[in-house]
Amino acid sequence: MNQIKHRETTKKIKVGSLEIGGGAPISVQSMTKTDTANIDATVKQINDLAKAGCHIIRCAIPNKEAALAIKEIKKQINIPLVADIHFNHEYAVLAAESGADKLRINPGNIGEADKIRAVVEAAKTRGIPIRVGVNSGSLETKIRKKYMGHITADGLVQSALNNVKILEDFGFNDIVISIKATSVPLLIKAHQLIAKKTHYPLHVGLTESGIPKIGTIRSSAGIGAILAQGIGDTIRVSLTGDPLEEVRVGYEILKALQLTFHGVTVIACPTCGRTDIDVVSIATEIEEQTRHIKQPLTVAIMGCEVNGPGEAADADVGLAGGMGVGLIFREGQVVRKVPEAEMVEALLDEIESMAIK
Amino acid sequence: MNQIKHRETTKKIKVGSLEIGGGAPISVQSMTKTDTANIDATVKQINDLAKAGCHIIRCAIPNKEAALAIKEIKKQINIPLVADIHFNHEYAVLAAESGADKLRINPGNIGEADKIRAVVEAAKTRGIPIRVGVNSGSLETKIRKKYMGHITADGLVQSALNNVKILEDFGFNDIVISIKATSVPLLIKAHQLIAKKTHYPLHVGLTESGIPKIGTIRSSAGIGAILAQGIGDTIRVSLTGDPLEEVRVGYEILKALQLTFHGVTVIACPTCGRTDIDVVSIATEIEEQTRHIKQPLTVAIMGCEVNGPGEAADADVGLAGGMGVGLIFREGQVVRKVPEAEMVEALLDEIESMAIK
């Protein structure tokens, strides 16, 4: 039953001081939405993201100014920076020289061998990895044609592995692979397929997932399904909007799958005709007032006598309320009985004291 | 590669006129949060949920009044109603007699054989199924003890199957099974396990998933991972708060996994340093203004020239914008070129005309 997970078999790659693959903790990535050449704005956004827990940041490098800006940006941030380059090998070389911790470029898009060699040499000299991959929106015409114009999992995997092969042929194997798609089933299938064919670590993300309300659901289902199958070494939730939201959702996916342990998880009953305490406002208040706690704790807010006591006792701290009175549980034992007005305070007391412990 | 999905092998069960299992479309369930005995409030909530697409509604039946209220409620609603009963066999019999389309009760909790027989007879007489199952919060002490007090996937499956066995011993096999847990990995594991052991349809849901912001992510990851493995015949997203949100999230999970096709799906690029049109506001406006469309259509809003044209061309309607100008795609072909101020209108024109088609 306990199969070896793909992520435990992948090659360990270093991005700055961070490890990706080989069973390393799954890292959460995001991408700046600023003009990279605007150093102040970019640094501010990166530091905000880092504070929210972002492990690796990627910046678009669409021109020389952006490539050069990396040097100054790197001085003012504390997480590894990935330079995202399309087509232009000179920007890639410049980004590496400016101190990028990883390049994201497809050698298949660069052109002549000399240009590819220049990028590989720059990466080797600096000891930085290259992420190659494919996006369903930019799959090569040649591969599309092979599948009658359709974007298939086979086609995506082939495209990604073609890029890997080019780097390997240049003697380079400090590689992370990504396959991005807008279709969740296609994304899942492509990951199942590539996991059988490679031991390079995989960067998992649904691309163009949409505005946060919908993109959160699509990303959680897609990335969640892949991670649950033991596949995926680093993730990026890509949302249209504030990148802080990407980091927050990424963490929640990892927390849900118990692939990271970080902060308070509030579980709460959905409330039903049996409920007679205000579960929604209690749960919301507890969630808001415990965000500063880094220690992993589970708090259960339950509104009835059916599943209430069981769930409350299983959590680190729990409340089983009913008829205006609540039993407060701590590590499975009832420690207090309080009226509804004191429930939030009593829960916070117990949570805070456990967090300090 | 194309394995037979568990949901294609399950027994087909009828709940009112709706089918669950045997490859039937995956249905979206919710549960009322009103006092069931309050007929007006309950009917209003059910009809609001039905309008949002809810296929099956469950009501808590904690007393005789609630059981009797079903009769009047049923007259005023158009979706099947499930009576949710704990322990009390009389409420179950009464609910069946009042016209409930399905009972949710565990025979293992009822007690003496005569009482169980009474419930089974009531269900048989009315031709209605029974959902049995287990919730990690109320797993029997006997099974907990067997696993040293731990709640395990094996234990959950055993508990569910024990309840199935009791009904089968009474000659009843019009059964739906549910396993609910607060832990996503436990939920996934239990479903993988029970899928190997039963052909009764499975009702999938994460229990006590939390306030909507977090519960949405946890449910999408958990239910999504299970559905993606071909398991699950009907789902309920359980959120602390408005049940309409449960239905909305349930649909989005099914849409993400392409297990239902319903309405407009807006995909949008996450925006980056390359973006120079306002993708966020365009995508949000398109999402809001196309909610009335039932026909499945994909709309891509892309802000740059890298992945933009590819994604935009793959969608039913697409926008690839940059430098203040946007190309509007329809079924893969560029149909118009418009300035930024006209992008939303041009997209809506194309979407509306495709929706009518």
Side-chain angles (χ1 to χ4, degrees), chain A residues 306-307, chain B residues 85-89 104-112 115-116 133-135 138-140 159 163 166:
Chain A
V306 176
N307 297 314
Chain B
I85 302 116
H86 288 267
F87 316 117
N88 191 308
H89 78 289
R104 192 272 175 267
I105 190 167
N106 277 335
N109 290 339
I110 295 178
E112 302 98 274
K115 294 179 179 172
I116 299 173
V134 59
N135 186 310
S138 52
L139 184 61
E140 304 98 284
S159 170
N163 278 292
I166 298 174

Side-chain angles (χ1 to χ4, degrees), chain A residues 51-52 245 248 252 255 262-266 283-295 348 351-352, chain B residues 211 213-214:
Chain A
K51 209 171 152 192
E245 197 61 13
R248 193 187 68 74
E252 289 298 334
K255 273 169 74 174
H262 176 93
V264 171
T265 300
V266 178
T284 306
E285 204 163 336
I286 297 295
E287 203 270 331
E288 281 167 7
Q289 295 203 32
T290 57
R291 284 199 194 144
H292 61 286
I293 295 173
K294 299 269 175 263
Q295 187 179 330
L348 288 175
I351 296 165
E352 292 285 351
Chain B
I211 56 172
K213 221 177 64 172
I214 312 292

